[in-house]
Amino acid sequence: MSRTTVTTGSLKVPGATLHYEVRGQGPLVALVGAPMHADHFAPLAGLLATDHTVLTTDPRGVNRSSLDTPGHDSTPRLRADDLSLLLAHLDAGPAAVFGSSGGAVTALALAVAHPERVRTVIAHEPPLNRLLDNPDERDAAVEDIIATYVSGDVAGAWTKFMINANIPLPDFEESADGPAEAPAEPDPQQAADERFWFLHEMRGTTRWQPDIAALRAGSPRIVVGIGKESAGQLCDHASTALASALGTEPTYFPGGHIAFLDDPEGFVPRLREVLRGD
């Protein structure tokens, strides 16, 4: 992959200061996550930047995007407003937005609140409890995850998170060489971002109720993406329900929930196809 110049900047928005990065030249594509930030999308952004202008950003309260009032909750609508202001700041015309997980919820909220800013939304595996058959049970599971984290049992909170999402847990069995090494302690920024996710981002993201009528009637093209290896997971069920509510079929991508990070080279050809409308 050829090296691409990265321009970094910051933008003051109501309640926060956002860190953002821009690469490449061509049609504008924004890559957004929650809680994942710009660094997680950098490999994919570098691949797309050969023929696109690519915007990545740290969502409010995460990594380099600071809050005026620390501990203020992050909601999909707030993040959508932030993204709208970033797109207006770049003045590059309506964007295509690829959002994954909580970032997919942000992208859908953007299409509802600021449809003039976006031409295509690719919502890759949004965790939308409101669209599932048992939303109250799913909300209760999220509250239990948060309470477990607050109690100080970080590993237990992540275990419950993975079980709730129906994502296979890592295999911690001993190898022939003895026990596997314990995971490294997170650095202070990673720990702060983790805390923000559990306490101030997870609840609002998973409980967001999409305005199906607005999404169906709006001008942006809405694509619901699902990883081929995500069958049976919470986000597979939520994404399938969203596509059905919108009267469309899901669009399948290679890999699982974070395939864009695990294998960006394998992910980008399919993303390019979807961006073109193939």
Side-chain angles (χ1 to χ4, degrees):
M1 181 179 69
S2 61
R3 296 182 64 85
T4 303
T5 300
V6 180
T7 301
T8 64
S10 62
L11 180 68
K12 185 69 183 73
V13 298
T17 300
L18 305 177
H19 171 87
Y20 68 91
E21 301 175 1
V22 179
R23 298 166 170 82
Q25 189 172 9
L28 179 60
V29 179
L31 307 178
V32 293
M36 286 188 167
H37 51 73
D39 291 351
H40 297 109
F41 289 92
L44 181 62
L47 293 167
L48 278 176
T50 58
D51 56 356
H52 289 83
T53 300
V54 186
L55 167 68
T56 57
T57 183
D58 296 348
R60 60 170 49 221
V62 174
N63 203 24
R64 295 152 293 193
S65 287
S66 60
L67 296 175
D68 295 351
T69 304
H72 193 277
D73 286 349
S74 170
T75 65
R77 175 57 192 267
L78 280 173
R79 298 195 301 270
D81 290 346
D82 291 345
L83 187 54
S84 176
L85 290 170
L86 273 174
L87 293 171
H89 177 67
L90 293 179
D91 193 24
V97 179
F98 171 83
S100 187
S101 194
V105 184
T106 304
L108 291 166
L110 177 70
V112 172
H114 305 282
E116 74 283 359
R117 299 288 184 208
V118 58
R119 65 178 186 275
T120 296
V121 163
I122 304 170
H124 184 261
E125 302 205 1
L128 296 170
N129 284 355
R130 299 291 93 199
L131 297 184
L132 299 172
D133 292 335
N134 54 347
D136 292 339
E137 291 178 27
R138 291 296 189 177
D139 289 348
V142 168
E143 294 303 318
D144 181 53
I145 292 166
I146 295 170
T148 302
Y149 179 84
V150 170
S151 76
D153 184 4
V154 177
W158 278 115
T159 297
K160 289 181 176 181
F161 175 87
M162 300 290 278
I163 291 172
N164 182 59
N166 201 27
I167 296 174
L169 293 166
D171 185 0
F172 293 120
E173 294 183 2
E174 294 186 10
S175 68
D177 299 324
E181 291 185 15
E185 288 292 323
D187 67 27
Q189 185 61 60
Q190 288 176 321
D193 290 347
E194 177 183 74
R195 180 175 180 81
F196 190 79
W197 163 240
F198 279 111
L199 300 188
H200 302 292
E201 201 170 43
M202 183 188 300
R203 182 183 290 113
T205 297
T206 58
R207 291 192 177 204
W208 186 73
Q209 175 70 58
D211 186 335
I212 298 298
L215 290 170
R216 292 188 66 149
S219 57
R221 176 174 67 115
I222 308 296
V223 177
V224 181
I226 303 175
K228 290 182 178 179
E229 296 178 11
S230 298
Q233 296 177 10
L234 180 148
C235 287
D236 170 32
H237 294 310
S239 299
T240 300
L242 175 62
S244 177
L246 294 173
T248 64
E249 293 293 328
T251 296
Y252 288 92
F253 286 81
H257 190 59
I258 57 170
F260 67 88
L261 175 61
D262 289 337
D263 181 18
E265 292 84 0
F267 192 87
V268 74
R270 181 57 173 148
L271 179 55
R272 287 184 183 280
E273 291 176 352
V274 177
L275 288 169
R276 290 195 304 263
D278 293 355

